[in-house]
Amino acid sequence: MRLKLVPDVTSFDFFGRWKLWLGISALMVVVGFASFAVQGLNFGIDFRGGTTIRTQSTQAIDVGAYRDAIAPLGLGDVTITEIFDPTFGPDENVAMIRIQAQDDAEAVSAETIAAVEAALLAATPDIEFVSVESVGPKVSGELIQTAVLAVSLAILSVLVYIWLRFEWQFALGAVAALIHDVVLTIGVFSELQIRFDLAIIAALLTIVGYSLNDTVVVFDRVRENLRKYKQMELKDLLNLSINETLSRTLMTSITTLLALIALYVLGGDVIRGFVFAMIWGIVVGTYSSIFVASTILLWLGVKRDWTKNTNNTGNQFGDIDA
Amino acid sequence: MLQIDTWKRVLIILVCAAGLLLALPNAFYTRVEQSNDARAAMEVQGATAELTQTAGQWPSWMPSSLVNLGLDLRGGAHLLAEVRVGDVYEARMEAMWPEIRNALRGERDTVGTIRKQPSPSDEIRIKISKPEGMTRALEVVRGLGRPIQTLTGAGSNDIEVRGAGDEIVVTLSEAEKLATDDRTVRQALEIVRRRIDEVGTREPTIQRQGADRILIQVPGIGSASELKAIIGTTAQLTFNPVVSRGTDAEARAEIGQKVIPALDQQGVYYTVEAAPVVTGEELVDAQPAFDQNGRPAVNFRFNTSGARKFGDYTRDNIGAPFAIVLDNEVISAPVIQSHIPGGSGIITGNFTVEESTNLAVLLRAGALPAGLDFLEERTIGPELGQDSIDAGKVATVVAFVAVLGFMWASYGLFGIFANIALMINVGLLFGLLSLIGGTLTLPGIAGIVLTVGMAVDANVLIFERIREELKTAKGPARAIELGYEKALSAILDANITTFMTAVILFAMGSGPVRGFAITLGLGILTSVFTAIFVTRLLVVMWFERRRPKTIEV
């Protein structure tokens, strides 16, 4: 009668091949890095500077005609992509035109944009410019710095928090899992060349938050079991903890994924990249909290004697009464 | 046993009710918005029957704050401008020169003759003919400096004076530069605000960002270039005596004179006295008008001191031309026909009606103290925003239904408790957003959807724990109690860490990203509240009524 994703009691062995899992993860991280190093990210104008113009027209989009219209202006690298989306009506033909940052201008000048718009209007009379965004090279450089800083700061603060609430081995495990997730997400973006803009940084930080959420729940159970079963082998204890929380891990991942998939399909193309990053991050984050964070914990070992200061250590808030 | 004090129950219910009441106006967005606008209009221009009727669309005793819609949802223009703070240094240095000249002239015996040397715009170089008098010269020039107040309280001066060979170099001191920059940016901010208010668009955001930047967001405006036309012009208006008129841009100008081009006559240049007779700062009013030939023009009026200067000058210089100069271009150079005593006049030029209207706005609002560079500009069309809202709504509803169904299928009755809590949760989230005047952006909608997905996490943790406890504990009441108790530390740890990332995102991000951080952060607060208080209350109330011997979670 009840929908049960996992049986009441499970005893999967998550660490039978822990070296293999850790190896796969390490390999994926290397691949992610390599892809990033070789291909680089398809940075949006937030990070690279330049202009994007989103056009809409009832006529079918002829990328070649657009290109021919803009080419005489000599604006350097111009990318034109047609956008398809199930939420568009039959007469909505949307294209995205990206113009590289022009050398001298702070932001692209109004004349340049006006010239492009005029050229396109001549080619397609009913074209509309639904959004025009332009970022100068000065700001885009700063945005990169801020983004890197934000992600590093998030990871660092997590490291400190977990260290305070648990032990350093837990903190290292959690952070390794976070870095794993962030690198894999960046890797996917560079491999598939999906546009990487400011919103994706927000998605990265959300992934950091979510993956952590998952990891902390497992660790919390590990801590509890460490007090309960003082003689149990660490490997068995970790296995037990993960099995006990497995049902919750899957439940939460599925409800979150359900919500995100709805947004991915129905939320329109503007935020699709952003939602894709989060969906990917949640899948990777769920995997990493079990196979990376816990495995590293097993590898590092952990202090077993939690009796001395169990006076609510790490559970200071445990007696908050509702 | 399961117990919650009565006062706590009342408090929980009151918090939920208050949150939902605050969220309610958002369900009738357009109606409340029109009503709010009408009320605001009534305060300014008094009540009319029509306005009263519009205002009556939403009862005045109900909360009426709405969630602000970000630019990406409402459409509008966004500009990030950098104030060229260095512009002001030049003016300061120019103003300094006569003062220095006069002071040094008094010391001619010791320092000899003085001559101004060409130099970068933010310093003055003065050559003295008797280098041996340098010490005295420096002393004199330093004496012109004014002490400035700094946080450190050290006695710093507004200028820095040093000798280099036979030259005296005067620059603004670092402390004075900082103070000047700050003043410049604040003035620029104020002028930008005034100009945008003059145009009268709704809810513009005009904020200082960092040391020398201004962020301007105006919903509902057609494009960023339209906005730039209003705020991009410095609009420094001066009235200068004309020395000569010619066609040579490189014409030689005496010291204290400058050559500037005409605005609408190609290749015409005027040599004018650099020191203006009177400036736009002394204007009290400017209105678009038409001249006697029916061409668009701008009427202006000076304040008392401006009127006196203008009157005196026109009386003494009948028959001579003078130039009306806007941002270093001569708009027109009429010949003074008669004494103009009243302090009002008219600027004519080849204006269109739109240009004369804009110029009047600019003159009324005042000149920017320095130029602006636009680092970032975005225009989002209102249709795109509306499409995003529609798509966001559909996605949120579908996500909601999917999660509700899934929870019900997994946990039965307890799932329904969690579902009620989830609905309250989203209500509270909107209530909080309205209360703090938060801005909803497209990523913010994503944040809400994410909250819908993740909010059940706390309940899932609790329910899974109750299931576990049911296997070992003594009876359902004890299992529920232990479930809540033991899940709490995991819930808090998990949510605090996510909350930390939301805070970092809020601090670092801007615009849409910040909108995401707000909904994510508030969503965490409300979901923890609903999980550990609201569902618990629901479960306890159900339990008290039914007293089941066994429960199934």
Side-chain angles (χ1 to χ4, degrees):
Chain A
M1 177 197 140
R2 284 293 152 77
L3 176 67
K4 286 220 167 118
L5 297 170
V6 281
D8 276 348
V9 180
T10 56
S11 50
F12 296 115
D13 182 9
F14 290 101
F15 299 105
R17 298 175 176 199
W18 65 273
K19 281 181 183 158
L20 177 70
W21 295 121
L22 217 51
I24 289 177
S25 289
L27 185 70
M28 298 266 280
V29 168
V30 171
V31 170
F33 257 120
S35 169
F36 176 63
V38 175
Q39 293 210 47
L41 288 166
N42 175 14
F43 282 122
I45 56 162
D46 289 337
F47 295 125
R48 201 163 62 172
T51 303
T52 55
I53 301 176
R54 187 183 166 99
T55 66
Q56 191 175 325
S57 148
T58 53
Q59 295 173 26
I61 281 156
D62 181 353
V63 173
Y66 283 19
R67 195 176 296 284
D68 293 343
I70 300 175
L73 300 171
L75 296 172
D77 185 18
V78 175
T79 331
I80 301 169
T81 20
E82 181 167 4
I83 297 176
F84 300 97
D85 195 275
T87 56
F88 292 161
D91 284 345
E92 278 182 86
N93 296 298
V94 177
M96 204 74 158
I97 298 163
R98 192 167 77 188
I99 302 160
Q100 74 173 44
Q102 308 295 308
D103 293 336
D104 43 349
E106 287 296 346
V108 176
S109 69
E111 294 88 64
T112 313
I113 294 172
V116 173
E117 290 188 351
L120 287 172
L121 263 176
T124 318
D126 77 326
I127 200 165
E128 280 179 72
F129 306 100
V130 282
S131 79
V132 180
E133 306 188 44
S134 177
V135 178
K138 192 168 177 182
V139 174
S140 61
E142 290 170 6
L143 286 176
I144 292 186
Q145 281 177 12
T146 322
V148 171
L149 192 65
V151 175
S152 322
L153 211 62
I155 291 180
L156 193 72
S157 59
V158 161
L159 185 74
V160 172
Y161 182 82
I162 307 238
W163 188 8
L164 291 177
R165 291 279 282 154
F166 296 85
E167 288 289 314
W168 64 267
Q169 294 94 335
F170 289 82
L172 279 187
V175 165
L178 291 188
I179 294 174
H180 168 265
D181 302 342
V182 170
V183 171
L184 284 197
T185 309
I186 292 177
V188 161
F189 271 74
S190 98
E191 196 51 44
L192 301 180
Q193 289 291 300
I194 304 172
R195 193 155 64 111
F196 193 91
D197 53 25
L198 209 52
I200 307 300
I201 297 294
L204 274 182
L205 282 182
T206 317
I207 293 167
V208 167
Y210 183 88
S211 162
L212 199 65
N213 193 315
D214 239 20
T215 308
V216 166
V217 170
V218 174
F219 281 2
D220 184 75
R221 188 58 72 100
V222 171
R223 180 171 58 187
E224 187 184 324
N225 283 338
L226 278 170
R227 291 193 198 119
K228 207 155 141 195
Y229 308 104
K230 299 210 167 58
Q231 303 306 319
M232 195 187 278
E233 282 243 3
L234 184 59
K235 184 173 152 190
D236 298 333
L237 193 140
L238 286 173
N239 246 329
L240 176 70
S241 308
I242 295 174
N243 274 302
E244 281 177 349
T245 50
L246 190 62
S247 170
R248 173 267 160 195
T249 305
L250 289 180
M251 273 299 293
T252 302
S253 297
I254 285 175
T255 54
T256 312
L257 281 177
L258 275 178
L260 286 176
I261 288 171
L263 195 60
Y264 183 81
V265 177
L266 303 166
D269 69 291
V270 181
I271 49 168
R272 187 149 296 149
F274 176 69
V275 179
F276 172 79
M278 290 209 281
I279 291 179
W280 169 261
I282 279 161
V283 174
V284 174
T286 307
Y287 163 86
S288 75
S289 57
I290 296 175
F291 290 103
V292 177
S294 305
T295 310
I296 286 191
L297 195 58
L298 176 67
W299 191 26
L300 290 173
V302 65
K303 184 183 80 167
R304 292 306 302 267
D305 185 12
W306 285 69
T307 41
K308 272 183 205 146
N309 42 7
T310 46
N311 295 335
N312 280 340
T313 315
N315 208 10
Q316 294 101 322
F317 305 105
D319 44 3
I320 288 176
D321 187 18
Chain B
M1 281 305 284
L2 286 171
Q3 265 181 353
I4 303 180
D5 296 339
T6 315
W7 68 270
K8 280 185 187 163
R9 294 178 187 215
V10 174
L11 194 65
I12 295 169
I13 293 170
L14 278 182
V15 168
C16 291
L20 294 180
L21 194 65
L22 283 171
L24 193 63
N26 294 297
F28 306 93
Y29 202 95
T30 336
R31 193 191 283 189
V32 180
E33 191 175 42
Q34 284 170 355
S35 161
N36 286 350
D37 286 351
R39 269 176 233 283
M42 270 154 67
E43 262 177 39
V44 181
Q45 45 183 291
T48 63
E50 197 183 336
L51 284 177
T52 319
Q53 198 199 349
T54 321
Q57 284 180 354
W58 188 251
S60 56
W61 47 268
M62 289 284 283
S64 60
S65 351
L66 290 167
V67 172
N68 292 323
L69 293 181
L71 277 191
D72 53 351
L73 296 181
R74 167 166 278 173
H78 160 120
L79 286 177
L80 180 66
E82 190 168 62
V83 183
R84 283 196 291 259
V85 287
D87 282 6
V88 177
Y89 305 157
E90 191 177 347
R92 283 288 298 272
M93 286 289 105
E94 266 175 26
M96 200 81 214
W97 164 236
E99 220 179 316
I100 297 173
R101 187 182 52 199
N102 294 341
L104 286 179
R105 272 188 189 149
E107 302 287 331
R108 184 165 289 176
D109 299 343
T110 1
V111 302
T113 54
I114 52 173
R115 199 185 312 147
K116 191 166 178 254
Q117 299 294 307
S119 65
S121 61
D122 59 347
E123 62 181 39
I124 300 181
R125 282 174 172 268
I126 303 145
K127 193 172 185 167
I128 53 175
S129 63
K130 290 186 185 165
E132 59 275 15
M134 185 54 105
T135 338
R136 176 64 193 151
L138 291 180
E139 203 178 303
V140 169
V141 179
R142 282 202 184 107
L144 296 172
R146 282 172 283 265
I148 51 169
Q149 300 295 327
T150 57
L151 282 177
T152 46
S156 32
N157 252 330
D158 63 344
I159 51 170
E160 240 166 46
V161 184
R162 61 192 162 84
D166 56 354
E167 288 181 352
I168 309 170
V169 183
V170 185
T171 52
L172 290 177
S173 67
E174 280 309 311
E176 176 63 12
K177 276 184 180 171
L178 282 178
T180 310
D181 291 357
D182 186 58
R183 224 166 20 233
T184 312
V185 176
R186 267 191 286 162
Q187 270 173 19
L189 192 74
E190 186 51 40
I191 299 289
V192 167
R193 191 190 307 280
R194 267 196 253 161
R195 289 186 184 178
I196 291 176
D197 285 349
E198 285 274 353
V199 185
T201 55
R202 55 183 310 149
E203 296 163 39
T205 310
I206 301 156
Q207 280 171 346
R208 183 165 179 178
Q209 221 172 46
D212 55 0
R213 292 190 183 161
I214 300 175
L215 175 75
I216 304 136
Q217 294 188 322
V218 184
I221 200 166
S223 75
S225 26
E226 230 172 279
L227 185 57
K228 268 191 343 192
I230 304 171
I231 59 173
T233 332
T234 324
Q236 263 166 0
L237 181 78
T238 53
F239 294 80
N240 305 52
V242 174
V243 178
S244 65
R245 180 173 183 269
T247 51
D248 183 9
E250 304 300 320
R252 226 185 88 74
E254 301 284 312
I255 287 177
Q257 296 179 350
K258 55 184 177 180
V259 180
I260 46 181
L263 180 66
D264 39 271
Q265 290 159 282
Q266 199 72 46
V268 174
Y269 293 87
Y270 289 89
T271 308
V272 300
E273 296 284 348
V277 176
V278 57
T279 70
E281 278 177 38
E282 305 197 75
L283 284 181
V284 283
D285 193 21
Q287 292 295 338
F290 293 94
D291 65 4
Q292 61 269 51
N293 299 324
R295 289 178 309 174
V298 177
N299 267 331
F300 62 85
R301 201 154 45 79
F302 284 116
N303 61 15
T304 332
S305 78
R308 192 178 330 110
K309 285 186 219 166
F310 193 60
D312 290 352
Y313 183 79
T314 50
R315 188 191 57 217
D316 300 342
N317 292 279
I318 293 176
F322 78 103
I324 301 174
V325 182
L326 183 72
D327 292 337
N328 268 328
E329 281 178 321
V330 176
I331 300 183
S332 63
V335 172
I336 301 168
Q337 305 290 353
S338 63
H339 175 207
I340 307 174
S344 61
I346 189 164
I347 304 172
T348 53
N350 268 332
F351 298 130
T352 62
V353 176
E354 200 186 354
E355 279 167 351
S356 70
T357 315
N358 261 350
L359 181 59
V361 166
L362 295 180
L363 292 180
R364 271 203 305 278
L368 283 171
L372 297 178
D373 283 326
F374 294 97
L375 305 183
E376 199 184 314
E377 46 181 287
R378 299 173 195 261
T379 311
I380 291 113
E383 318 85 28
L384 183 61
Q386 192 56 47
D387 288 353
S388 297
I389 294 180
D390 295 343
K393 266 187 196 161
V394 174
T396 311
V397 168
V398 171
F400 214 78
V401 171
V403 171
L404 292 184
F406 189 73
M407 285 299 281
W408 176 68
S410 301
Y411 297 110
L413 182 65
F414 277 67
I416 290 177
F417 291 149
N419 288 343
I420 296 172
L422 182 58
M423 291 184 228
I424 293 177
N425 182 20
V426 174
L428 287 181
L429 178 54
F430 270 98
L432 268 181
L433 267 178
S434 312
L435 187 68
I436 62 169
T439 302
L440 188 64
T441 61
L442 189 54
I445 294 182
I448 293 176
V449 175
L450 189 69
T451 305
V452 169
M454 285 176 74
V456 293
D457 179 54
N459 283 314
V460 169
L461 274 167
I462 294 163
F463 295 165
E464 291 292 330
R465 196 72 205 211
I466 294 177
R467 273 187 188 170
E468 276 176 54
E469 296 301 328
L470 273 175
K471 288 179 216 153
T472 53
K474 316 87 196 146
R478 184 80 186 129
I480 293 172
E481 203 178 335
L482 280 176
Y484 273 95
E485 203 173 283
K486 290 196 173 170
L488 191 64
S489 84
I491 292 174
L492 287 177
D493 272 337
N495 283 292
I496 287 174
T497 43
T498 314
F499 191 71
M500 285 188 338
T501 57
V503 169
I504 290 173
L505 207 49
F506 180 79
M508 301 292 220
S510 64
V513 173
R514 184 170 267 196
F516 174 73
I518 291 176
T519 51
L520 185 67
L522 292 181
I524 290 167
L525 292 182
T526 54
S527 67
V528 169
F529 171 79
T530 49
I532 60 185
F533 295 109
V534 179
T535 50
R536 189 171 189 171
L537 182 64
L538 289 171
V539 170
V540 167
M541 278 163 57
W542 165 77
F543 196 84
E544 281 169 347
R545 186 162 296 186
R546 291 293 168 82
R547 295 271 159 210
K549 290 277 177 301
T550 57
I551 55 170
E552 195 188 353
V553 178

